[in-house]
Amino acid sequence: MKLQVPSAVIGQTFDHLRSCGGGRRECQSLWVGPWAHPSDVSEVRHPKHTASAVGFQVDHDWLTAFWLNLADTGCGVRVQVHTHPGAAYHSTTDDAFPLIHTPGFLSLVIPRFAMGPADFTDAFLARIEPDGRFHEVRIADVLEIV
Ligand SMILES: [Zn+2]
């Protein structure tokens, strides 16, 4: 079953990535969903972070509070989404520092600071496989906009 991503979540994600990144800095958004419905994404969260044109750093205290909130609400991060200045791919850093190390976890990279079309055009998707490493997967095989 593909992961169901509401079009409203896509729209909010691009709004965050564009307004925070300003076309000059990377940005991250996190797609969250209830574990009771593992194929659903229910909302997008925008971490507190610093960023430059070539990377970003999520605030440690924000992340701690976020984990506690997820545990309280029975939700989990299903996809980490971030922007790149140019082409979308997984850098060595992206491969080395997943937010979550569990097989099945997804990482979506949006090109050109998300200033292009608000969809998956030229985007890159990787998934942690049972070997514990990210491997590229076809977006159309894994994500469905609903
Ligand atoms: Zn941001």
Side-chain angles (χ1 to χ4, degrees), residues 16 20-21 26-28 46-47 49:
H16 284 320
C20 175
E26 291 193 5
C27 179
Q28 186 192 51
H46 180 215
H49 66 84

mmCIF file of all heavy atoms in Angstrom, residues 16 20-21 26-28 46-47 49, ligand 1:
data_model
loop_
_atom_site.group_PDB
_atom_site.id
_atom_site.type_symbol
_atom_site.label_atom_id
_atom_site.label_comp_id
_atom_site.label_asym_id
_atom_site.label_seq_id
_atom_site.Cartn_x
_atom_site.Cartn_y
_atom_site.Cartn_z
ATOM 1 N N HIS A 16 5.975 26.131 3.540
ATOM 2 C CA HIS A 16 7.043 26.196 4.561
ATOM 3 C C HIS A 16 8.415 26.295 3.897
ATOM 4 O O HIS A 16 9.237 27.131 4.262
ATOM 5 C CB HIS A 16 7.079 24.900 5.387
ATOM 6 C CG HIS A 16 6.001 24.751 6.408
ATOM 7 N ND1 HIS A 16 5.546 25.772 7.188
ATOM 8 C CD2 HIS A 16 5.311 23.651 6.791
ATOM 9 C CE1 HIS A 16 4.607 25.308 8.011
ATOM 10 N NE2 HIS A 16 4.440 24.028 7.774
ATOM 11 N N CYS A 20 10.353 29.807 4.454
ATOM 12 C CA CYS A 20 11.490 29.715 5.388
ATOM 13 C C CYS A 20 12.807 29.793 4.625
ATOM 14 O O CYS A 20 13.727 30.487 5.040
ATOM 15 C CB CYS A 20 11.401 28.415 6.182
ATOM 16 S SG CYS A 20 12.796 28.106 7.260
ATOM 17 N N GLY A 21 12.893 29.093 3.492
ATOM 18 C CA GLY A 21 14.150 29.044 2.746
ATOM 19 C C GLY A 21 14.411 30.297 1.927
ATOM 20 O O GLY A 21 15.573 30.619 1.656
ATOM 21 N N GLU A 26 18.421 26.002 2.719
ATOM 22 C CA GLU A 26 17.710 24.728 2.818
ATOM 23 C C GLU A 26 16.671 24.814 3.940
ATOM 24 O O GLU A 26 16.729 25.693 4.808
ATOM 25 C CB GLU A 26 18.688 23.577 3.093
ATOM 26 C CG GLU A 26 19.595 23.297 1.901
ATOM 27 C CD GLU A 26 20.343 21.969 2.014
ATOM 28 O OE1 GLU A 26 20.101 21.198 2.961
ATOM 29 O OE2 GLU A 26 21.178 21.697 1.131
ATOM 30 N N CYS A 27 15.711 23.905 3.896
ATOM 31 C CA CYS A 27 14.672 23.846 4.922
ATOM 32 C C CYS A 27 14.212 22.388 5.018
ATOM 33 O O CYS A 27 14.364 21.614 4.071
ATOM 34 C CB CYS A 27 13.510 24.757 4.540
ATOM 35 S SG CYS A 27 12.139 24.760 5.725
ATOM 36 N N GLN A 28 13.640 22.055 6.173
ATOM 37 C CA GLN A 28 13.131 20.698 6.373
ATOM 38 C C GLN A 28 11.682 20.741 6.840
ATOM 39 O O GLN A 28 11.296 21.639 7.607
ATOM 40 C CB GLN A 28 13.965 19.958 7.425
ATOM 41 C CG GLN A 28 13.556 18.481 7.564
ATOM 42 C CD GLN A 28 14.171 17.815 8.786
ATOM 43 O OE1 GLN A 28 14.091 18.312 9.896
ATOM 44 N NE2 GLN A 28 14.806 16.682 8.566
ATOM 45 N N HIS A 46 7.001 21.693 10.860
ATOM 46 C CA HIS A 46 8.168 22.443 10.417
ATOM 47 C C HIS A 46 9.104 22.628 11.599
ATOM 48 O O HIS A 46 8.806 23.409 12.509
ATOM 49 C CB HIS A 46 7.704 23.801 9.867
ATOM 50 C CG HIS A 46 8.814 24.670 9.379
ATOM 51 N ND1 HIS A 46 8.804 26.025 9.496
ATOM 52 C CD2 HIS A 46 9.974 24.365 8.768
ATOM 53 C CE1 HIS A 46 9.917 26.521 8.979
ATOM 54 N NE2 HIS A 46 10.640 25.531 8.534
ATOM 55 N N PRO A 47 10.215 21.901 11.642
ATOM 56 C CA PRO A 47 11.100 21.990 12.806
ATOM 57 C C PRO A 47 11.711 23.385 12.956
ATOM 58 O O PRO A 47 11.927 24.085 11.967
ATOM 59 C CB PRO A 47 12.217 20.991 12.497
ATOM 60 C CG PRO A 47 11.728 20.145 11.393
ATOM 61 C CD PRO A 47 10.726 20.961 10.639
ATOM 62 N N HIS A 49 14.860 25.348 13.209
ATOM 63 C CA HIS A 49 16.184 24.973 12.709
ATOM 64 C C HIS A 49 16.967 26.201 12.262
ATOM 65 O O HIS A 49 16.396 27.263 12.015
ATOM 66 C CB HIS A 49 16.060 23.986 11.550
ATOM 67 C CG HIS A 49 15.415 24.575 10.318
ATOM 68 N ND1 HIS A 49 16.115 25.296 9.388
ATOM 69 C CD2 HIS A 49 14.138 24.558 9.875
ATOM 70 C CE1 HIS A 49 15.299 25.693 8.417
ATOM 71 N NE2 HIS A 49 14.076 25.261 8.690
HETATM 72 ZN ZN ZN B 1 12.574 25.827 7.510
#
